Amino acid sequence: MNKKRVFSGIQPSGIIHIGNYFGAITQWVKMQDDFDAIFSIVDLHAITVPQDPKKLKENTYKLTAILLACGIDPKKAPLFIQSRISAHAELTWILNTIATIGELERMTQYKEKIQNSKFKIQNFSSVGLFDYPVLMAADILLYNTDVVPVGEDQKQHVELCRTLAKRFNNRFGQTFKVPQIQLRKEAARIMGLDNPKKKMSKSAESSYNYIALADSPDDIKRKIMKAQTDSGKEIKFDENRQGLYNLLMIYKLFSEKTEDEIEKKFSGRGYGDLKKELAELIIEKLKPIQIKYQKLITDKSHLDSILSSGADKVCPIAQKTLKDVKSKIGLI
Ligand code: TYM
């Protein structure tokens, strides 16, 4: 039986945090064994907000090295840079003609991003930022994707992708597979350490919001010790105590212990102890990734060859879909 196709992407934004790691990357690593998986570094998405060109190049290499260090195996799952395959931009244009302005105006991420003070200061909201979900739909639909593993913040975008696929199929005949979204239950939404009401985010105003995979032990300790909790005492998994719940969830994900085991371990102990042990656990678990990363990042030509071979493998799939789409809509 043919394996199901998985497609997912991640932006080369410089900071890859434990939200990305648990919400997406750990799912990808698991799925690459049982699925026909394709993963993309989505640089065309990254440029929807202003980027320093030099840093963007550097961040693309850094992300490649991080993904490999986390266990993505390019022999099992091609890894490629989105902008290398021009079909992504071409299909975006075509899908733009069936997506509506109202649909894009309803996208929560867009609404939040234009409110974010970082972008407000630049006073620049690009058409690309508005159109970002259509590019994402093109990414997914080009590869006849069955399953899209993402964190919860991307759910609305994948739903729009499904809507566009169905609309296109209705108008022009069966062309696109309608993909399913896959969220990793407990890790779909890791919250900000400094504000557990909002998701952990690399565009957060303070670096105390997130733990980056590349953070030093000192940074990790400082950020966890400063993480927001409440004035309660008992250490329990209680979703209403959002700060504590988020820290316990991070502990659970890194330790792979059950909630019962964790509650017993910290019974009668205070938040200070929990934070200290959590910081130590994160440092210990990120260390092997950081060691691998340091080695990989020094060999750019190796990274280049992985990315080129990934693009070579996926290009024919994308071209075939695009050709079919063009023919269906009457482009000669
Ligand atoms: P990006 O680069 O913002 O994030 C990469 C992945 O990390 C997940 N994620 C989180 N998961 C749990 N908790 C969090 N706090 C958290 N923050 C981020 C995201 O949901 C995502 O899965 N538009 C996408 C990239 C993309 C894509 C695609 C994904 C482009 N084309 C096609 C799937 C299919 C993005 O910007 O992700």
Side-chain angles (χ1 to χ4, degrees):
M1 212 179 73
N2 277 348
K3 285 181 177 175
K4 285 199 168 172
R5 166 74 41 79
V6 161
F7 180 94
S8 200
I10 183 166
Q11 293 191 57
S13 56
I15 297 155
I16 304 302
H17 53 64
I18 57 172
N20 302 126
Y21 181 65
F22 286 118
I25 301 171
T26 56
Q27 288 204 77
W28 298 8
V29 172
K30 279 195 194 122
M31 293 176 99
Q32 66 184 352
D33 287 321
D34 303 326
F35 291 82
D36 176 4
I38 298 175
F39 301 122
S40 183
I41 295 179
V42 293
D43 53 353
L44 296 177
H45 278 103
I47 59 168
T48 59
V49 296
Q51 298 281 347
D52 174 278
K54 235 173 137 186
K55 276 198 191 137
L56 179 60
K57 277 189 194 156
E58 202 46 44
N59 288 339
T60 302
Y61 283 117
K62 283 185 179 169
L63 177 57
T64 310
I66 279 276
L67 291 173
L68 298 174
C70 288
I72 296 296
D73 179 351
K75 288 198 197 80
K76 294 179 186 161
L79 176 65
F80 75 101
I81 300 178
Q82 182 189 36
S83 63
R84 290 272 186 94
I85 310 283
S86 58
H88 289 250
E90 287 185 68
L91 183 59
T92 302
W93 184 256
I94 293 169
L95 293 177
N96 275 337
T97 65
I98 65 160
T100 69
I101 291 176
E103 279 167 333
L104 295 179
E105 276 173 343
R106 282 194 289 278
M107 294 292 123
T108 315
Q109 184 173 297
Y110 171 71
K111 287 193 275 188
E112 280 175 5
K113 275 202 177 157
I114 58 171
Q115 286 309 320
N116 184 315
S117 63
K118 268 196 188 172
F119 304 129
K120 257 193 176 164
I121 292 164
Q122 291 158 337
N123 198 16
F124 187 81
S125 165
S126 70
V127 175
L129 184 65
F130 185 61
D131 201 30
Y132 174 115
V134 180
L135 175 58
M136 190 164 152
D139 298 340
I140 298 168
L141 298 179
L142 276 176
Y143 298 99
N144 310 310
T145 303
D146 294 288
V147 189
V148 187
V150 280
E152 201 180 59
D153 60 322
Q154 298 301 318
K155 192 171 164 208
Q156 197 185 25
H157 294 160
V158 183
E159 275 160 8
L160 178 70
C161 168
R162 288 167 51 84
T163 304
L164 296 180
K166 287 184 208 159
R167 188 175 301 154
F168 189 98
N169 290 345
N170 279 337
R171 278 198 205 164
F172 301 107
Q174 180 58 40
T175 309
F176 294 125
K177 212 175 244 181
V178 181
Q180 302 294 322
I181 181 167
Q182 180 168 307
L183 301 178
R184 185 175 167 192
K185 249 194 258 155
E186 289 167 330
R189 205 170 161 80
I190 304 287
M191 309 310 277
L193 298 176
D194 60 348
N195 177 5
K197 287 189 172 43
K198 279 188 163 175
K199 68 159 188 171
M200 183 174 283
S201 164
K202 55 202 157 207
S203 43
E205 281 155 45
S206 156
S207 66
Y208 281 96
N209 174 271
Y210 53 77
I211 301 281
L213 298 188
D215 272 350
S216 69
D218 279 350
D219 284 339
I220 295 172
K221 270 186 215 146
R222 211 166 344 105
K223 291 180 181 185
I224 293 291
M225 295 316 285
K226 238 188 130 179
Q228 206 188 93
T229 42
D230 50 47
S231 56
K233 280 218 155 57
E234 206 186 1
I235 295 183
K236 282 240 169 274
F237 281 84
D238 174 356
E239 285 187 55
N240 297 318
R241 294 159 72 190
Q242 288 163 315
L244 173 67
Y245 185 77
N246 192 39
L247 292 182
L248 284 171
M249 205 40 97
I250 297 171
Y251 193 97
K252 181 176 173 184
L253 289 163
F254 272 115
S255 69
E256 298 179 46
K257 287 194 161 78
T258 66
E259 297 187 6
D260 263 1
E261 283 170 334
I262 297 168
E263 285 179 355
K264 262 192 207 124
K265 182 176 166 63
F266 289 104
S267 145
R269 300 169 70 193
Y271 289 174
D273 275 0
L274 168 67
K275 286 182 168 179
K276 205 165 151 266
E277 292 203 19
L278 175 59
E280 277 161 16
L281 177 67
I282 299 175
I283 293 166
E284 177 202 319
K285 294 287 178 179
L286 292 186
K287 197 170 169 200
I289 296 175
Q290 294 180 346
I291 292 172
K292 281 187 202 144
Y293 167 78
Q294 287 306 342
K295 222 174 142 197
L296 285 157
I297 196 65
T298 57
D299 190 353
K300 295 230 168 81
S301 67
H302 175 60
L303 301 177
D304 272 330
S305 81
I306 286 173
L307 294 168
S308 295
S309 100
D312 289 345
K313 278 188 205 146
V314 302
C315 190
I317 311 171
Q319 285 303 338
K320 188 163 176 268
T321 308
L322 186 64
K323 197 169 164 218
D324 183 27
V325 169
K326 284 183 170 174
S327 140
K328 289 265 176 47
I329 62 176
L331 304 181
I332 295 177

